[in-house]
Amino acid sequence: MINNTTKIFKKTILVIVLLISGSVMISWFLDIEEILSVISDSATMKFNTALLFFLTSFCLIIENKKGKKSQSIYFILTGIILLIGTLSILEHGFQIDLAIDNLFVKDQISKNSPGRMSVATSLCFTLLGIGFLGLKTRKIQFKKISQSIVLITMFIAFISAITYVLKIPAENKTFFFETMAIHTSLLFLFSSSLIALKTPNIGFIKLLFSKLNGSSLLRKMIPFILLIPFLLSYFLSDLIHKNIIEYNFGIIIYTVILILISIIYTSIISFGLNKSDYKRRALDQNIISKNEELIQYKIALNSVTALTITDNKGVIKTINDNLTKMTQYTEKELLGNDFSLFYSDHYEPSFFENILAVLNNGTIWEGELQNLRKDGTTIWVSCSIIPFKNEHGTIEEFVVLKQDISKRKKAEALLESQYVKQLEAKNKELEQFTYIASHDLQEPLRTVTSFSDILSTEYQDKLDEQAKISFKFIKQATSRMSSLIKALLDYSRLGYEQKLTTINCNTLIDNITKDLNTTISQTNTKIEAKKLPELKGYETAIRLLFQNLITNAIKFRQKDRSPIIKISAKQKGNIWEFCVEDNGIGIAKEFQKKIFAIFQRLHLKDEYEGTGIGLAHCQKIANLHGGEIWVESSPMKGSKFYFTILNE
Ligand code: ADP
C-alpha cells in the first residue's frame, strides 16, 4: 500500500505544512491579517502555532536520517514542541502567563489572551510531541500507544475543521476549540497523518492498509462514516440557517436520510462482500478437489515408487515406505542423512557431478542407476530427479523418484549373455566353414594350376598366340585366387593362437623393420617409433597388425615423396592407444569405415597390389585384444590409423 504515489503524496503534504506555517510566521511580522485568520473575524493561527508546525515539518524530514547529529536535532525539536505545548496547557489550566505567548512577536489582533494557542492546539502539539517520541521507541506496545495518541490529534483537528465547515460561530464553540484557526486544524490533520503513516505496520494504520477483507471493508466505510453525516449536517444546517426548514424537522430529515443512505451503502458493500465470498467458496471447493486429486496421485505414486525429497545440498528431508524397503535403511537412519549414501562405486565421482550440473541448471535428470543398499549389495533403479525452485528462482529441493528394475536388468543381462554365446558359436561355425572351404578349395585350384602349367609347357609349340595369352590369364587368375584363399585361411586361423605373452613393442617394430628391409630401402622409407610399451597379447597377431599397417603405409605412399611412418602409443586408463601415422595418399571420409571389411579395396590391383584383407585382419586382431581400430585421414594428407589394446 505504501508505494510511490503515497511517497509523492506525503512529500506534497509536507511541503504544504512548511509553506503555510512559514507564511503565517512571516505574516505576523508583516501584519497580513488575511493569512493569519483565513476566515474574517475568526481565530488566527498564533505565531507559536506556526513555529511549532514549522518544527514539526523538520522533525518529519529528519526522522529517518541515520546520523547522530540529525537524531539530536530531532530530539531537541521534539522537546521544544512538547515544552511549548505543555506550557500553554499549564497557562490555560492555571490562568497564568508564562511569558511564552508573545515571545517572538506581539499579538495585537486577538482580544482574549493574545498570542496564546487554544487549549485544543496546545493539547494537539503535546500529543504530536509524544507521537514523535513514540516513533523512536523499539517497543511495539509503546509505538501502538503513540500511534493512537497521534490519531486522537487527528480526530481533534477533524472536529475543529468541521466546526468551520458547518459555520458554527466562535461564540457557540466550546472554549476548547474557541481559538483554533481553520488552517491550524488542517495542518494538524496533515502532520498527524504524516506521523501516523510512519508506522504503517502496526495498529490502526496496519488495519487500514492491509490487504485483508476487514481492512478493505474499513477503507470502504471510512469515507461514508466521515462524509455522509458531515455533508448532511452541512446542507441541513444551511437550510435551517436560511429558515427554509425548521430545526426539529431538520433533525427528522437528517435521521431518515442517514438511515436510508446507511442501508443503501451497507447493502452495496454487503453485496460486494458476498460476491467475493462466493468466489472464495468456489476457490475453496476447487482447492479441496485439487487436494483430493493430489492425495490420489500421492497414493498412486507411493504404491509404485520410492520417494525421497532432499534439500538443495542433498540432505534427505522426506521419504516413503518404499524407500526404506528398497534401501534396507530405517526411516531414522535416512532422515537427515546425505543422499550420497546410495552411491555405488560402480561410478566415477564425475558421474554424479555431471548429474548435479544438469539438476542445477533446473533440468530434470532421468536414467538408470546402480544403488547401494545398507547390506552392501546393489540394486538397479530407474530414477527421475526433479529440481524444485522457490519463488526467487533458486533451487530449494530435489524430488527423487525411484523404481526397482533389478529383475529387468537381470533378464537383460541373461539375454545378453545368451546372445553373446550364440554369436560366439555362430562365429566359430563360420570360421570353421571358412577354414574348411578355403582349405578344400586349394586342392582343386592346385590341380587347375598344375594342369594348366603342364598344358602350356607340353603343348608350347602347338599353341597359337591367342591360346598362349589365354593361358597367361588363367595363370594370373589362379595365382590371385590362390593368394585370396591363402588370405582367407590366414584370417580364419587368427585367434587360434593360445599363448598370451609379454610383447615388447619396440623389439617387435625392430624385427618387422629388419624383415621389410628391402622394401624400406627401395622406397627410402623412414620409420620413427616413439618409446612403445610392453603389453600382454598374442605376439604373432600383434606383429601381423603392425606389419599390415606399415606395409600399407609404404604401399599407399605419394609418388613424389618418400614415406615417413610415425608410431606412437598413449595409455588411457586400462587401455593402450596406438597410432601409426603416414604421409601417404590418404583416404576420403566416405571410405574410412568400408576399408576394414574383408576384401574391400579402393584401388584396382594394377594400381596397387593386394587382396583387401589386411585391414580386416587388423580389426580382428584389435577385437581379439579387447580393442578396436579406426582411421583419421583426408585425401593426399596422409592417414592416422589408431588401434587400442586392453591392458589387463
Ligand atoms: P590391401 O592393402 O590388400 O588393399 P587392406 O585391407 O590392407 O587391403 O586395405 C584396404 C584398402 O584401404 C586399401 O586397398 C587402400 O585403399 C586403403 N588403405 C589401407 N591403408 C592405407 C594407407 N595407409 N593409406 C591410404 N589408403 C590405405
Side-chain angles (χ1 to χ4, degrees):
M1 207 60 200
I2 312 292
N3 49 25
N4 261 351
T5 341
T6 345
K7 263 187 195 162
I8 296 170
F9 173 73
K10 285 200 279 188
K11 275 192 183 148
T12 318
I13 290 188
L14 198 61
V15 172
I16 292 174
V17 179
L18 266 173
L19 282 179
I20 296 182
S21 56
S23 6
V24 170
M25 282 196 287
I26 295 169
S27 303
W28 273 110
F29 290 109
L30 303 178
D31 267 344
I32 311 174
E33 271 194 50
E34 291 75 15
I35 292 182
L36 300 178
S37 72
V38 193
I39 302 165
S40 59
D41 287 339
S42 70
T44 52
M45 185 194 289
K46 305 293 179 300
F47 184 86
N48 282 0
T49 310
L51 176 69
L52 294 196
F53 275 128
F54 205 70
L55 301 187
T56 302
S57 324
F58 269 105
C59 273
L60 282 164
I61 292 169
I62 58 172
E63 188 271 327
N64 51 6
K65 299 255 175 325
K66 289 269 146 48
K68 249 190 177 169
K69 209 167 152 195
S70 339
Q71 287 309 300
S72 319
I73 297 175
Y74 177 85
F75 281 112
I76 293 170
L77 297 183
T78 307
I80 297 174
I81 297 168
L82 266 174
L83 184 74
I84 299 186
T86 325
L87 289 180
S88 303
I89 294 175
L90 291 177
E91 282 185 327
H92 281 291
F94 298 104
Q95 300 287 328
I96 46 169
D97 187 356
L98 296 173
I100 52 163
D101 303 336
N102 295 299
L103 202 60
F104 303 100
V105 279
K106 201 159 169 51
D107 180 3
Q108 286 164 339
I109 302 170
S110 317
K111 285 159 208 124
N112 300 331
S113 323
R116 186 172 298 172
M117 299 187 281
S118 74
V119 184
T121 309
S122 323
L123 179 67
C124 284
F125 275 123
T126 313
L127 297 182
L128 282 194
I130 297 171
F132 275 132
L133 288 182
L135 290 183
K136 292 293 161 192
T137 72
R138 290 228 169 92
K139 288 219 157 118
I140 289 285
Q141 215 51 37
F142 288 158
K143 268 192 198 285
K144 274 189 187 164
I145 294 172
S146 75
Q147 190 194 75
S148 314
I149 288 174
V150 172
L151 292 177
I152 292 172
T153 319
M154 201 188 282
F155 182 71
I156 296 173
F158 182 69
I159 303 277
S160 167
I162 284 183
T163 63
Y164 281 98
V165 183
L166 295 182
K167 296 180 189 144
I168 297 171
E171 61 271 20
N172 286 1
K173 295 184 192 177
T174 63
F175 98 108
F176 186 69
F177 288 116
E178 215 171 25
T179 57
M180 191 192 272
I182 172 74
H183 37 355
T184 306
S185 322
L186 288 180
L187 293 198
F188 271 128
L189 267 179
F190 290 163
S191 30
S192 55
S193 329
L194 289 179
I195 300 174
L197 284 174
K198 293 252 177 207
T199 48
N201 299 324
I202 54 168
F204 181 75
I205 303 296
K206 181 184 174 188
L207 181 71
L208 187 65
F209 289 117
S210 105
K211 284 182 179 151
L212 300 176
N213 272 348
S215 302
S216 131
L217 181 68
L218 185 66
R219 284 195 294 276
K220 281 177 192 146
M221 288 301 285
I222 278 188
F224 170 81
I225 294 166
L226 294 180
L227 267 179
I228 302 298
F230 166 70
L231 287 177
L232 264 179
S233 311
Y234 178 78
F235 286 120
L236 289 175
S237 66
D238 202 43
L239 293 178
I240 293 168
H241 280 143
K242 289 177 182 158
N243 285 328
I244 298 174
I245 56 166
E246 265 188 37
Y247 181 78
N248 288 346
F249 185 59
I251 298 238
I252 294 170
I253 292 188
Y254 178 90
T255 318
V256 172
I257 295 181
L258 193 65
I259 291 173
L260 212 70
I261 295 180
S262 302
I263 289 175
I264 294 171
Y265 193 73
T266 41
S267 306
I268 293 171
I269 290 180
S270 311
F271 181 72
L273 276 180
N274 278 354
K275 228 168 135 182
S276 79
D277 209 31
Y278 278 135
K279 272 190 200 157
R280 209 203 67 223
R281 274 161 197 260
L283 218 66
D284 281 354
Q285 202 47 49
N286 203 355
I287 289 172
I288 290 169
S289 59
K290 280 270 174 290
N291 253 348
E292 273 165 12
E293 219 173 285
L294 274 178
I295 290 167
Q296 299 293 334
Y297 281 140
K298 204 178 155 198
I299 293 170
L301 207 70
N302 268 343
S303 64
V304 288
T305 56
L307 169 91
T308 321
I309 300 177
T310 76
D311 66 8
N312 57 7
K313 303 249 161 20
V315 177
I316 301 170
K317 296 197 300 184
T318 313
I319 54 160
N320 70 353
D321 288 347
N322 282 348
L323 191 82
T324 51
K325 276 183 218 149
M326 181 186 268
T327 60
Q328 299 171 335
Y329 286 103
T330 63
E331 188 178 339
K332 220 173 163 192
E333 287 168 325
L334 288 173
L335 293 179
N337 217 323
D338 203 276
F339 192 70
S340 56
L341 196 69
F342 310 129
Y343 291 179
S344 90
D345 50 14
H346 182 79
Y347 306 99
E348 298 276 317
S350 60
F351 175 78
F352 297 108
E353 281 159 20
N354 289 343
I355 295 181
L356 211 65
V358 171
L359 294 171
N360 283 334
N361 266 345
T363 322
I364 297 175
W365 184 88
E366 280 175 305
E368 293 179 352
L369 281 177
Q370 201 183 55
N371 263 196
L372 199 64
R373 300 203 290 179
K374 191 179 171 184
D375 65 357
T377 57
T378 54
I379 49 162
W380 276 98
V381 293
S382 148
C383 180
S384 306
I385 310 178
I386 307 129
F388 274 76
K389 291 183 177 174
N390 60 18
E391 67 270 25
H392 309 298
T394 43
I395 292 167
E396 198 164 66
E397 55 183 27
F398 297 112
V399 173
V400 188
L401 304 172
K402 287 183 200 168
Q403 260 177 306
D404 188 348
I405 52 162
S406 300
K407 276 187 194 152
R408 197 194 82 201
K409 276 278 178 190
K410 244 186 211 159
E412 274 175 10
L414 195 72
L415 263 179
E416 207 173 308
S417 76
Q418 279 171 353
Y419 181 68
V420 169
K421 269 187 200 146
Q422 276 174 7
L423 214 65
E424 276 171 356
K426 279 263 172 305
N427 257 349
K428 275 235 148 60
E429 252 173 52
L430 211 66
E431 272 171 9
Q432 250 157 16
F433 168 76
T434 320
Y435 178 78
I436 293 164
S438 43
H439 188 264
D440 292 358
L441 274 176
Q442 272 189 333
E443 195 41 50
L445 186 65
R446 252 186 242 127
T447 316
V448 172
T449 315
S450 49
F451 275 101
S452 67
D453 277 352
I454 293 170
L455 269 176
S456 65
T457 33
E458 297 261 319
Y459 295 90
Q460 177 90 9
D461 312 332
K462 293 177 186 134
L463 294 175
D464 60 10
E465 256 335 281
Q466 187 56 43
K468 279 181 185 164
I469 291 171
S470 300
F471 266 113
K472 196 179 155 204
F473 279 136
I474 291 174
K475 207 175 164 100
Q476 275 175 358
T478 48
S479 98
R480 181 155 174 75
M481 193 165 173
S482 161
S483 51
L484 284 176
I485 289 173
K486 192 179 166 306
L488 207 57
L489 206 59
D490 288 345
Y491 184 79
S492 63
R493 274 190 193 135
L494 272 177
Y496 281 97
E497 196 175 352
Q498 292 295 323
K499 229 174 106 208
L500 270 175
T501 51
T502 306
I503 308 159
N504 183 325
C505 294
N506 288 311
T507 324
L508 194 77
I509 300 292
D510 281 349
N511 290 340
I512 295 171
T513 318
K514 271 180 208 148
D515 288 354
L516 298 175
N517 191 25
T518 326
T519 329
I520 289 175
S521 49
Q522 271 169 5
T523 51
N524 203 14
T525 300
K526 260 196 197 145
I527 299 180
E528 298 169 10
K530 295 233 172 81
K531 214 168 171 273
L532 300 177
E534 273 193 352
L535 47 86
K536 276 231 149 78
Y538 300 110
E539 186 161 0
T540 325
I542 296 281
R543 186 193 163 94
L544 187 63
L545 168 52
F546 274 115
Q547 191 170 311
N548 279 348
L549 293 179
I550 293 170
T551 46
N552 274 352
I554 299 173
K555 186 165 38 168
F556 298 106
R557 65 185 176 273
Q558 293 194 33
K559 287 204 172 80
D560 56 346
R561 66 180 74 160
S562 318
I564 301 174
I565 305 165
K566 294 177 184 163
I567 306 170
S568 57
K570 246 193 253 168
Q571 189 161 24
K572 291 186 170 174
N574 59 345
I575 58 168
W576 277 104
E577 185 184 281
F578 287 86
C579 176
V580 178
E581 181 183 353
D582 64 44
N583 57 345
I585 57 169
I587 304 156
K589 190 131 193 95
E590 63 266 33
F591 303 122
Q592 288 177 6
K593 279 223 164 83
K594 191 181 158 191
I595 52 170
F596 294 100
I598 198 161
F599 296 140
Q600 289 295 331
R601 311 199 66 227
L602 307 179
H603 309 276
L604 294 173
K605 70 175 184 336
D606 302 342
E607 250 181 304
Y608 295 100
E609 261 302 314
T611 53
I613 207 166
L615 289 179
H617 272 155
C618 293
Q619 187 169 48
K620 197 169 173 189
I621 294 164
N623 292 163
L624 206 64
H625 289 82
E628 45 195 328
I629 186 167
W630 69 98
V631 66
E632 284 172 11
S633 173
S634 39
M636 303 317 280
K637 293 217 169 110
S639 315
K640 283 180 181 173
F641 280 87
Y642 291 94
F643 66 89
T644 52
I645 303 286
L646 190 66
N647 188 27
E648 285 168 322

